[in-house]
Amino acid sequence: MNDFLLIFRRDFNPDEAQPSPEQLQGMMKSWQDWMGSIAAQNKLVNQGNRLDGDGKVVKPGRVITNGPYVEIKEAIAGYTIIRAASLEEAAEISNGCPVLLVGGNVEVRQIVPM
Amino acid sequence: MNKDKVLPHLFRTEYRKLIAVLYRHFGFEHPEIAEDIASDTFLTAAETWGLKGLPDNPTAWLYTVARNKAKDYLKHGNIFTQKVSSVIQTGEAYLPVTEIDLSDKSIKDSQLQMMFAICHPAITAEAQIGLALRILCGFGIDEIAGAFLSNKETINKRLFRAKEKLREEKVKIEFPESKAISSRLDNVLKTLYLLFNEGYYSSSGNATLRKELCLEAMRLNYLLIENKLFNLPEVCALLSLMCFHASRFEARMDENGEMVRYDEQDTSLWNEELIEKGKQYLSKASKGDKITKYHIEATIAYWHTIKADTPEKWDNILQLYNRLLITEYSPMAALNRTYAVSKVKGNAEAIIEAEKLQLNGNHLYHILLGSLYKDTDMQKAKQHLQTALKLAKTVAEKKQIKKDLDKLEAS
């Protein structure tokens, strides 16, 4: 078993209108269901965190810009660490991630063991 | 009370008090003294009362005898230490000859301090439960062996080693420092939780004994709540959980002492009073900003006390199991979550979730899969139940599984 970092990316400036409270509730539930399913397999290492939409990018020469989201459609929205036997299994687990339902994607990367 | 029952009754209620106070007095350096004096006191009572009849106040009589025996021991011990140890250099500690304080407060303090001392991470969880049953609950070695489906020798050895370990670690019988309360309390709650579960879920066929383990866990939990130092949200959450579970005692056992599954229970047998108590403690538990696994489990147990089988109920239970598993994995929670999935999303979805669990060596896993498959794939349902039958360890469980198999055959 190895640990894998799942990076959730999505569009922070979606065209759709603000979701309703019911939709938000449904989104929350689908995340909890997905996480719960991973945890039930004893494969959740770290629940991780959701990241705020605001951010800054620091570049050489004291150039600091506001987050990269204006130009690109996908920004990191959060991350989770899971345990899996292989990269393939980790990808399979990510297949159920609710970020996919809102046009986002999951990047799966193995964490290099110490 | 019937005269013949006075002594056994007093043994049940007073032995544990005497032994806690005596232990606190003598410490783990001399574990045998406390037990000797307590047992000796009851032996003296049996002999004397047998000859002369019951005294007016049997409890006070016992306390006086115990106090005198302790005093005698100390006097004798000190003479030995003073006169002999100077010659043979044993280095034995000198114990001051003081009265053993058997006031209500001293008894409760002793029991609580003992609880903290026993629930020490230096000894295994099994040993902690064993010592708790012996010292805090006054159980006999036979009863402890019965609870663990073990034998006297094994239990005696286990308790002896545990006491040795506590002595080596120089564990003091005292209240934890205020800044260590939270972490020490974690250990105590864990032991009480395991003690309760030992009674509630264990496969021991002795129903009376099992119930008693649960009641003892609740009594000790209540002892914590009575003391304002330990009347904390997580302590209330655990007691709430126990009350909700205990409310189904009568319903989960049929007249032959066999287990009745949750969905087949006669809900009119659920104890409303305990459910009410559970709600009260759950509301006390919600003060403060800490959410422990006991909070989550108590809330799950609360939803189980609601009789109507609504989608709302199972949806809430599923969400709570998700949270519980994210907080801390356990195979039992994983299986229960899968059952909740079947209630919310249907068996097909639950089968997909169940097969990811891969708890192949666990008989409960196969029982669950058996019930999930029974409407769609009879062959698979049977296979899982047959595997469960092979894996089950106790007669009672095997019997239950055979019953399920027979039902499948008949349908």
Side-chain angles (χ1 to χ4, degrees):
Chain A
M1 285 279 180
N2 280 306
D3 289 356
F4 294 85
L5 177 68
L6 308 186
I7 303 159
F8 313 127
R9 285 206 170 81
R10 69 174 178 83
D11 187 354
F12 268 90
N13 303 301
D15 301 328
E16 304 98 73
Q18 171 71 25
S20 68
E22 288 75 28
Q23 281 171 315
L24 287 171
Q25 171 73 18
M27 272 165 64
M28 205 180 87
K29 247 164 80 174
S30 53
W31 277 97
Q32 289 282 304
D33 277 347
W34 181 62
M35 290 274 209
S37 171
I38 299 169
Q41 301 166 56
N42 201 11
K43 286 177 182 161
L44 188 67
V45 176
N46 187 319
Q47 205 185 342
N49 284 293
R50 189 187 173 278
L51 301 182
D52 194 83
D54 280 336
K56 290 203 184 288
V57 178
V58 182
K59 293 173 184 166
R62 304 194 60 80
V63 179
I64 300 175
T65 60
N66 283 333
Y69 324 118
V70 191
E71 307 100 78
I72 58 168
K73 275 279 187 196
E74 292 168 348
I76 298 175
Y79 63 90
T80 288
I81 299 173
I82 64 165
R83 190 171 19 236
S86 63
L87 189 56
E88 285 64 34
E89 193 201 346
E92 184 55 41
I93 290 173
S94 308
N95 218 4
C97 178
V99 82
L100 304 177
L101 302 173
V102 293
N105 63 51
V106 183
E107 182 175 332
V108 186
R109 303 284 294 272
Q110 186 182 327
I111 294 173
V112 179
M114 284 290 281
Chain B
M1 188 179 296
N2 184 330
K3 272 194 176 166
D4 297 338
K5 290 199 177 137
V6 172
L7 196 58
H9 173 75
L10 283 175
F11 191 86
R12 259 281 173 263
T13 57
E14 303 306 322
Y15 178 86
R16 61 186 184 222
K17 294 180 188 168
L18 287 179
I19 204 168
V21 171
L22 289 165
Y23 253 107
R24 178 164 71 155
H25 202 83
F26 292 102
F28 284 115
E29 296 85 17
H30 313 275
E32 67 293 343
I33 303 175
E35 298 194 21
D36 281 353
I37 294 176
S39 306
D40 214 27
T41 300
F42 277 93
L43 193 65
T44 310
E47 287 169 358
T48 316
W49 299 357
L51 276 172
K52 297 187 179 166
L54 278 182
D56 291 340
N57 185 341
T59 306
W61 192 97
L62 286 172
Y63 287 6
T64 308
V65 170
R67 257 195 302 264
N68 288 338
K69 282 189 192 291
K71 223 192 277 177
D72 284 350
Y73 179 87
L74 288 167
K75 267 191 213 150
H76 181 82
N78 283 338
I79 290 166
F80 177 82
T81 317
Q82 281 167 327
K83 294 208 171 152
V84 187
S85 71
S86 55
V87 185
I88 55 172
Q89 295 287 325
T90 59
E92 189 91 346
Y94 177 84
L95 291 163
V97 183
T98 45
E99 279 278 303
I100 304 281
D101 180 2
L102 284 160
S103 65
D104 192 46
K105 182 176 183 319
S106 165
I107 289 171
K108 281 191 174 147
D109 284 355
S110 302
Q111 288 181 315
L112 282 172
Q113 293 174 2
M114 207 58 205
M115 213 188 292
F116 279 96
I118 289 170
C119 302
H120 193 281
I123 56 176
T124 64
E126 273 187 335
Q128 291 177 31
I129 296 176
L131 279 184
L133 287 173
R134 181 80 189 122
I135 299 172
L136 298 172
C137 311
F139 275 45
I141 300 295
D142 279 332
E143 290 169 300
I144 301 174
F148 282 116
L149 299 175
S150 181
N151 58 51
K152 258 177 115 161
E153 290 73 44
T154 311
I155 298 296
N156 263 327
K157 256 187 233 154
R158 187 187 296 165
L159 297 190
F160 178 77
R161 260 190 247 120
K163 282 183 270 188
E164 279 291 292
K165 186 79 189 159
L166 291 176
R167 192 172 60 82
E168 282 165 24
E169 296 278 329
K170 300 199 166 43
V171 173
K172 292 264 181 301
I173 303 169
E174 60 190 16
F175 285 125
E177 288 174 48
S178 56
K179 60 175 189 291
I181 282 182
S182 165
S183 72
R184 297 287 302 279
L185 199 55
D186 277 354
N187 284 322
V188 171
L189 295 183
K190 206 164 112 196
T191 307
L192 296 187
Y193 175 81
L194 291 174
L195 174 59
F196 186 90
N197 284 355
E198 190 64 40
Y200 205 72
Y201 298 108
S202 95
S203 15
S204 155
N206 186 337
T208 327
L209 176 62
R210 293 180 44 182
K211 195 167 158 183
E212 213 155 317
L213 293 186
C214 294
L215 295 177
E216 284 299 325
M218 292 170 82
R219 186 179 65 78
L220 295 174
N221 198 334
Y222 188 70
L223 204 59
L224 283 170
I225 287 180
E226 272 186 316
N227 186 307
K228 63 177 188 302
L229 275 179
F230 311 116
N231 187 357
L232 297 170
E234 60 267 42
V235 184
C236 293
L238 181 57
L239 188 55
S240 158
L241 166 65
M242 292 180 187
C243 287
F244 287 140
H245 278 329
S247 74
R248 287 194 296 279
F249 268 150
E250 302 307 321
R252 65 202 288 272
M253 203 75 83
D254 69 8
E255 57 273 19
N256 305 319
E258 279 173 34
M259 289 293 292
V260 183
R261 287 198 189 124
Y262 177 73
D263 54 350
E264 292 164 358
Q265 287 171 7
D266 174 359
T267 56
S268 69
L269 294 175
W270 292 358
N271 184 321
E272 293 296 334
E273 201 183 319
L274 278 169
I275 293 176
E276 241 359 272
K277 274 252 154 61
K279 286 184 197 163
Q280 282 166 23
Y281 286 113
L282 190 55
S283 112
K284 283 188 188 145
S286 60
K287 295 187 181 107
D289 44 15
K290 201 156 127 190
I291 294 184
T292 62
K293 73 167 189 160
Y294 306 121
H295 285 87
I296 305 175
E297 286 199 46
T299 316
I300 292 172
Y302 160 73
W303 278 101
H304 278 89
T305 66
I306 290 172
K307 294 177 181 176
D309 207 22
T310 60
E312 188 206 2
K313 168 176 167 175
W314 288 103
D315 201 27
N316 273 295
I317 291 176
L318 173 57
Q319 292 310 315
L320 287 159
Y321 271 121
N322 284 335
R323 280 185 73 178
L324 181 63
L325 280 158
I326 291 168
T327 311
E328 187 180 306
Y329 169 81
S330 79
M332 199 64 188
L335 291 172
N336 286 333
R337 174 188 180 271
T338 312
Y339 180 74
V341 171
S342 79
K343 288 293 219 175
V344 177
K345 301 182 176 175
N347 286 0
E349 186 101 358
I351 288 171
I352 297 173
E353 285 296 293
E355 296 195 328
K356 287 184 198 162
L357 301 183
Q358 293 294 320
L359 293 167
N360 295 316
N362 184 325
H363 66 284
L364 298 171
Y365 176 62
H366 293 284
I367 293 177
L368 176 67
L369 274 167
S371 89
L372 292 177
Y373 270 121
K374 77 169 183 268
D375 296 329
T376 48
D377 191 333
M378 189 66 98
Q379 210 44 46
K380 277 201 166 157
K382 269 187 215 161
Q383 277 168 10
H384 279 295
L385 285 181
Q386 273 150 2
T387 314
L389 190 60
K390 268 184 231 140
L391 290 169
K393 287 188 189 73
T394 67
V395 181
E397 283 170 324
K398 283 184 191 292
K399 218 162 136 187
Q400 181 89 38
I401 299 167
K402 267 192 201 124
K403 235 200 247 169
D404 290 340
L405 265 171
D406 289 345
K407 248 190 248 169
L408 265 192
E409 304 277 351
S411 63

